[in-house]
Amino acid sequence: MNEYTRREEVRATFIASAILVLCIAMAVLRLVTVDGRLVLDPGARRQAEESEARLAPARACALAGEKLIVEIDLFKKAAKSARMPAPGEEPPAPPPVTRTRAQRNTPPPPKPKEPDKQGAWASAQPLHKQVKTLAGCREATEALLGARVSAIPGWDAIAKAAAITPPAAEEAEQFEAAKQLLSLLADIPADKVAQATKDAEAAYKATAERDRERATTAVVREPLPQGVFSRRVAVSVGVGLTVCALLISYLGVRAASMRRLATLLPLRDAVRSGRPGMQAAEILKTAAAYNSGEPGIVIGAAIGGLSAALLAPKDADLFVAGVMAGLLIGLGAQWAFRLAVGASRWRARATELAEVEKPAIPIVLVLSGVKPGLEPEFIQFLRSLPPADAAAAVEKLASQAEERILAAADAGAAFLQGKPPPG
């Protein structure tokens, strides 16, 4: 800024800067503090669904545990009926072949009945089915309840029994498989295993109920939408555009004041060389130019950014769009204002420059020669003339105004002395 900067330009720059700081500060604060809307927590809903999905397998395990006890008892009865050796029991030895003389006269004792191998595996299949179901329940049950020492032998036997491959169609193989199944499961603590599966089912039910209740009440903030830019980048770009607009406006004011300085300062020598009209004419032309700077784009960008931040704070891209739209709207509003003002400020601006330059021809005399309302026509006429003719026209206007002032002064003096005014 220098002495050739107009007061209007300084005032407009200050007002634009103040509006920019206030609006952008409010916009950034709004953009930074905005939160997404409250929605039901999708994580809690997924957790509830997973808990519900675990209920069916837990129920199946509990039922298999209950059926295991029943099937072991039924299988043990069926094994006894089929004369299947009990675990640890050897099959009866065949009777001796040699007989004494007394025994020869008596009938031989009846041979022990052979085990009924037919249908041995058929009676073992229901138990084997429950065992295979329970074998997959151990991991989930112990993960939830921990390993119970009393149930560990039962779980180990169940795992071994589940590994038994169903035999082929031969009765001998089926009988051996059924006998192996009996030896593994006859004396296991099935009640401990069944109780563990029931407790696991109860725990899963309690967890599912708790998760279901939480899913209906737990809320989270919905994440803000991701636009073309990230939120941080969008805010930075918007603020950067407004700062650039302010810088452009400031540089425009400075450039115009330096042009006035470069134009008017050399004309001070024209006064000393006897061409005072050139200085006065250039002052009038310079005063007719529009104000420099772009306060319109600064104010427009600030208001546009603030409007976007208040109307759609969740979308940071709209903040950038609002700033850019405000730049264009502000520029249009600024030029509309300049056209509306027109030459109404020309006299005041010319007087302001005259206070700086102190021209040899008083600007007031020249301005008094221009009729009010005809300022645009006079400015256009003055700009159309060459510098020498413009200087002559200004000098003529000043001399005519001076003559009118002197004539009016003489008339006033004569009126005071009671004499008629001179011809």
Side-chain angles (χ1 to χ4, degrees):
M1 303 294 179
N2 54 39
E3 59 184 353
Y4 289 95
T5 305
R6 292 175 181 171
R7 298 186 185 95
E8 298 172 81
E9 295 169 344
V10 175
R11 184 167 54 249
T13 302
F14 175 77
I15 293 173
S17 301
I19 293 175
L20 175 67
V21 171
L22 291 175
C23 291
I24 295 303
M26 294 171 62
V28 171
L29 181 63
R30 178 59 176 154
L31 292 171
V32 170
T33 57
V34 67
D35 293 319
R37 62 190 182 94
L38 288 173
V39 295
L40 291 175
D41 186 2
R45 186 168 61 252
R46 285 194 301 270
Q47 183 66 33
E49 292 173 355
E50 292 173 0
S51 298
E52 290 285 347
R54 286 193 291 265
L55 282 178
R59 180 58 183 162
C61 289
L63 289 175
E66 293 176 357
K67 291 181 179 180
L68 177 67
I69 301 174
V70 176
E71 293 298 339
I72 288 176
D73 291 339
L74 292 176
F75 183 53
K76 287 168 70 175
K77 293 178 181 178
K80 186 176 180 181
S81 299
R83 295 178 295 281
M84 189 181 297
E89 180 183 342
E90 294 296 330
V97 177
T98 59
R99 302 177 64 187
T100 64
R101 182 177 293 179
Q103 290 174 338
R104 290 174 187 164
N105 298 324
T106 61
K111 294 181 179 181
K113 292 183 179 181
E114 292 290 331
D116 183 10
K117 296 181 179 181
Q118 188 178 8
W121 181 250
S123 61
Q125 277 184 331
L127 177 59
H128 190 255
K129 179 181 178 182
Q130 302 305 322
V131 164
K132 290 186 71 69
T133 302
L134 279 171
C137 300
R138 181 176 186 178
E139 183 178 355
T141 301
E142 292 187 344
L144 183 63
L145 304 177
R148 294 183 176 180
V149 178
S150 59
I152 290 177
W155 286 117
D156 293 340
I158 288 171
K160 294 177 182 179
I164 297 176
T165 305
E170 296 183 6
E171 290 183 356
E173 293 182 9
Q174 293 182 355
F175 185 76
E176 288 300 323
K179 189 169 65 172
Q180 185 181 0
L181 192 65
L182 179 63
S183 65
L184 289 172
L185 302 177
D187 299 321
I188 67 168
D191 57 333
K192 304 298 183 182
V193 175
Q195 186 61 45
T197 56
K198 287 181 181 179
D199 294 344
E201 181 191 13
Y204 277 124
K205 284 184 178 179
T207 301
E209 183 65 29
R210 183 181 66 249
D211 291 343
R212 192 183 306 115
E213 183 178 354
R214 180 173 175 270
T216 60
T217 57
V219 293
V220 294
R221 290 286 181 183
E222 190 178 37
L224 296 175
Q226 182 70 26
V228 178
F229 304 103
S230 68
R231 195 165 193 81
R232 186 187 300 272
V233 171
V235 173
S236 301
V237 170
V239 173
L241 287 175
T242 59
V243 173
C244 289
L246 180 61
L247 184 61
I248 291 172
S249 180
Y250 173 78
L251 293 177
V253 171
R254 178 169 177 76
S257 63
M258 295 303 293
R259 284 197 304 271
R260 296 182 193 123
L261 174 64
T263 301
L264 296 177
L265 191 61
L267 292 178
R268 294 179 181 179
D269 295 333
V271 176
R272 290 190 287 271
S273 62
R275 294 176 297 170
M278 293 188 67
Q279 184 188 29
E282 194 60 41
I283 289 174
L284 293 174
K285 290 179 183 180
T286 303
Y290 293 120
N291 282 334
S292 60
E294 304 295 338
I297 65 174
V298 178
I299 297 173
I303 295 177
L306 178 60
S307 301
L310 294 178
L311 294 176
K314 295 180 181 179
D315 192 347
D317 287 346
L318 291 181
F319 173 65
V320 180
V323 170
M324 297 178 68
L327 289 172
L328 299 177
I329 295 173
L331 181 62
Q334 173 181 293
W335 279 102
F337 178 76
R338 286 177 176 177
L339 293 175
V341 171
S344 61
R345 296 288 302 166
W346 174 65
R347 294 177 184 270
R349 293 168 183 171
T351 304
E352 185 179 344
L353 276 177
E355 293 175 358
V356 176
E357 288 298 307
K358 304 293 191 298
I361 297 177
I363 293 297
V364 177
L365 292 179
V366 182
L367 294 177
S368 65
V370 180
K371 293 183 179 180
L374 297 179
E375 290 89 351
E377 289 79 2
F378 175 76
I379 293 170
Q380 185 176 2
F381 166 73
L382 194 63
R383 286 174 174 171
S384 65
L385 297 176
D389 294 342
V394 168
E395 291 175 0
K396 184 177 180 180
L397 278 177
S399 63
Q400 290 175 351
E402 187 175 5
E403 289 176 1
R404 287 196 299 271
I405 292 173
L406 291 176
D410 292 342
F415 177 77
L416 291 175
Q417 294 176 2
K419 298 179 180 180

